[in-house]
Amino acid sequence: MVDLELRSVSKKYAGSEVLAVNNVSLEIEKGELLCLLGPSGCGKTTLLRMIAGFVEPTAGSILVKGQDITQLPPNKRNLGMVFQSYALFPHMTVLANVEYGLRMRRIPRTEARTRAREMLEMVGLLELEHRYPRQLSGGQQQRVALARAMVILPQVLLLDEPLSNLDAKLRQQMRIEIRRIQKEVGITSIFVTHDQEEALTLADRIVVMDKGEVRQVGSPQDVYDHPVSRFVANFIGTCNFLNGVLEALPAGSEPAVLKTDSGLRLWCKGVPGLATGQRLCVAVRPEHLELAPAAEAERESAPGVNAVRGRIEHVSHLGSIVEYHVVLPGGERLRVQQQSAQSAPSVAEGGTATVKWAVQSSMCFPE
Amino acid sequence: MTRYRKPLTSLVGACTTSLVLLAIYLFLLAPLLVVVLMAFNTSSYMVFPPEGFTLKWFVAFFRDSMFVEALRTSAVLGVTSAAVATVIGVPAALALVRYRFRGREFLNSLFLAPILFPGVVLAIALLVYYSRLKILGSFIGLVLAHVLVIVPYVIRTVSANLYGVDEALEEASLNLGAGRWRTFFEITLPLIRSGMVSGAIFAFIMSFDELVIALFLSGARMTTLPVRIFNFLEYNSDPTIAAISTVLLCVTLLVSVFVPPRYLGF
Ligand SMILES: Nc1ncnc2c1ncn2[C@@H]1O[C@H](COP(=O)(O)OP(=O)(O)OP(=O)(O)O)[C@@H](O)[C@H]1O
Ligand SMILES: [Mg+2]
């Protein structure tokens, strides 16, 4: 069942020539947590605020459970919102903050109190109900904001970078917490973030946005493993890019051949509809690259596996993984990641090594 | 060595600053003190040092029906003007701070214009205007004139307060189902209360001791206390005036003592 539907929603702010949000259409299933992910200024907040009713769309319509709410004022929409600044009412106690929405709905006092307390218990703050927001830590304020937005049983919960004011450790903790509560209540949610790691860990589905447009929609695994464009590949996770022109189309068992700008010849995946001479970009994730002793170079460069020699410029130990920065003779830099336990002792900083990757693990984007 | 030198110099600096401040305060407050002392002086002239203790000047003040009437007029005028200015000033500040609309900058400077206008010019302009409207010397005329002068101060204090209130709070309230009015009374108003109260008190005090405009616009039947004092001083010089000043001083002090500092924005 579709809880929220956006139909060709666009927004152009007065005095600006570009569309802050450009023709966005989305469907969000009941109980789903959708992440809006994209670089700063791509229109995530604008889109969320249009759903909440604080920004009027220039075009398009917004439907909740099939009912058009585009013209409804924010207070009639029954959507919960968690603000980046939390926006807790400073002159009210934690309990009064959580009860506020119920009070506005004219729910009887005793029932409102019970429901507010239940919600506070769920976020683990019942013992702080008589405190004022200024007497709480950032993480605690965050929980109150969450409780306040959820207690009204909104049809959709909207969260605009709710974790960006917390430190890294707390952020990871709150991520898990939010996900737990969201699942427990089964509430349909839209979570805005520009942190790809956050999106990957939280989301049922990710919507990648850029310059006001949706670039890709899919499960975290989907957008990570099968990005549709160089932008998405670059934005989600890290990626190595090699630019060049297509020299030969796939022939029999042999894959296509790419000649990089520095003259390197690489096997690459064929993309339907390509012609020789066309500019391409090959992308490989650092964890799909493998390091081997330098001697293996030419021997292994059979169809289906690329092997190029390079100099190891820098080695960083990132705990469970080791990252190597390898410079190819043509000047391209590759980032290679390996499990710490598997890292070969023969490849050290300053030495040469062979970088190998299977053609299936690479991606190919026409430019 | 250097470790000890620094606190020492800063101590000397702090002492010097304190002494200078003390001297300035004494210079400013000494005349007030002299006036208070003279109010209790037995001599019929304003002389210093005092010759003996008496309360007769206070009695004279409260026996003088013109003074008492003027005091009443000023108090009612001050309260009315402050109330009207607050009722106008709060929505005006809200509009100027929260909404983007055409002509906002213009309106902003228009609201501040009376502060920049010389009082005499405004008084003369209103004099001409009021005599046409036949409200010269009326209470309503005085209220309007004072509101004109004090509204900018109310707008200022309330705006300053409003800038400090996160707009997201109002949005959160809307999001939780409260309408615009409900949001104003539940969220905005409580959060700008201090600015509003200090603006209103400021407005009251400004109206209460405003002389120039009242001098031009008040008539024989509608005289404010500052105008009455001014007229009295033309022909008399006994310490009744000192007694009045002392009473006014006490009123001001009481206001600042009984209104918690947080309402005054300190
Ligand atoms: N009130 C406004 N008036 C005019 N332009 C605006 C307004 N709000 C946002 N914009 C513009 O619209 C575009 C999208 O802004 P938006 O705030 O939606 O981005 P965002 O994806 O939330 O970015 P961030 O990650 O930095 O929060 C930006 O180019 C921004 O400058
Ligand atoms: Mg944003």
Coordinates of all heavy atoms in Angstrom, one line a residue, chain A residues 13-14 20 38-47 161 194, ligand 1:
Chain A
Y13 N 12.0 28.8 -6.3 CA 11.8 29.9 -5.3 C 11.7 31.2 -6.0 O 12.4 31.4 -7.1 CB 13.0 29.9 -4.3 CG 12.9 28.9 -3.3 CD1 13.8 27.8 -3.3 CD2 12.0 28.9 -2.2 CE1 13.8 26.8 -2.4 CE2 12.0 27.9 -1.3 CZ 12.8 26.9 -1.3 OH 12.8 25.9 -0.4
A14 N 11.0 32.1 -5.5 CA 10.9 33.5 -6.0 C 12.3 34.1 -6.1 O 13.0 34.0 -5.1 CB 9.9 34.3 -5.2
A20 N 14.7 24.4 -7.6 CA 15.3 23.8 -6.4 C 14.9 22.3 -6.3 O 15.7 21.5 -5.9 CB 14.8 24.5 -5.1
G38 N 21.7 13.3 -0.9 CA 22.3 14.1 -1.9 C 23.2 15.2 -1.4 O 23.1 15.4 -0.2
P39 N 24.0 15.8 -2.2 CA 24.9 16.8 -1.7 C 24.2 18.1 -1.3 O 23.0 18.2 -1.5 CB 25.8 17.1 -3.0 CG 25.0 16.7 -4.1 CD 24.1 15.6 -3.7
S40 N 24.9 18.9 -0.6 CA 24.3 20.1 0.0 C 23.7 21.0 -1.2 O 24.3 21.1 -2.2 CB 25.4 20.9 0.7 OG 24.8 22.0 1.3
G41 N 22.5 21.5 -0.9 CA 21.8 22.3 -1.9 C 21.1 21.6 -3.0 O 20.6 22.2 -4.0
C42 N 20.9 20.3 -2.9 CA 20.3 19.5 -4.0 C 18.8 19.5 -3.9 O 18.1 19.0 -4.8 CB 20.8 18.1 -4.0 SG 20.2 17.1 -2.7
G43 N 18.3 20.1 -2.8 CA 16.8 20.2 -2.7 C 16.1 19.3 -1.8 O 14.9 19.2 -1.8
K44 N 16.9 18.6 -0.9 CA 16.3 17.6 0.0 C 15.3 18.3 1.0 O 14.2 17.9 1.2 CB 17.4 16.9 0.8 CG 18.4 16.3 0.0 CD 19.5 15.6 0.8 CE 20.3 16.6 1.7 NZ 21.3 17.4 1.0
T45 N 15.8 19.4 1.6 CA 15.0 20.1 2.6 C 13.8 20.7 1.9 O 12.7 20.6 2.5 CB 15.9 21.2 3.3 OG1 16.9 20.6 4.0 CG2 15.0 22.0 4.3
T46 N 14.0 21.2 0.8 CA 12.9 21.8 0.1 C 11.8 20.8 -0.2 O 10.6 21.1 0.0 CB 13.3 22.4 -1.3 OG1 14.4 23.4 -1.0 CG2 12.2 23.1 -2.0
L47 N 12.2 19.6 -0.6 CA 11.2 18.6 -0.9 C 10.5 18.2 0.4 O 9.2 18.0 0.4 CB 11.9 17.3 -1.5 CG 11.1 16.2 -2.1 CD1 10.2 16.8 -3.1 CD2 11.9 15.1 -2.6
E161 N 17.8 15.8 8.5 CA 19.1 15.7 9.1 C 19.1 15.7 10.6 O 19.7 16.5 11.2 CB 20.0 16.8 8.6 CG 20.0 16.9 7.1 CD 21.3 17.4 6.5 OE1 22.3 17.4 7.2 OE2 21.2 17.9 5.3
H194 N 22.8 14.0 4.2 CA 23.8 14.1 3.1 C 24.9 13.1 3.4 O 25.9 13.1 2.8 CB 24.2 15.5 2.9 CG 24.9 16.1 4.1 ND1 24.3 17.2 4.7 CD2 26.0 15.9 4.7 CE1 25.1 17.5 5.7 NE2 26.1 16.7 5.7
Ligands
LIG1 N1 13.9 30.1 1.0 C1 14.6 30.0 -0.1 N2 14.6 31.0 -1.0 C2 15.4 30.9 -2.2 N3 16.1 29.8 -2.4 C3 16.2 28.8 -1.5 C4 15.4 28.8 -0.3 N4 15.7 27.7 0.4 C5 16.5 27.0 -0.4 N5 16.8 27.6 -1.5 C6 17.7 27.1 -2.6 O1 17.2 25.9 -3.1 C7 18.2 24.9 -3.3 C8 17.9 23.7 -2.5 O2 18.0 24.0 -1.1 P1 17.7 22.9 0.0 O3 17.7 23.6 1.3 O4 16.5 22.2 -0.3 O5 19.0 22.0 -0.1 P2 19.4 20.7 0.8 O6 19.5 19.6 -0.1 O7 18.5 20.6 2.0 O8 20.9 21.1 1.2 P3 21.6 20.9 2.6 O9 22.2 19.5 2.6 O10 22.7 21.9 2.6 O11 20.6 21.1 3.7 C9 19.5 25.6 -2.9 O12 20.1 26.0 -4.1 C10 19.1 26.8 -2.1 O13 20.0 27.8 -2.3

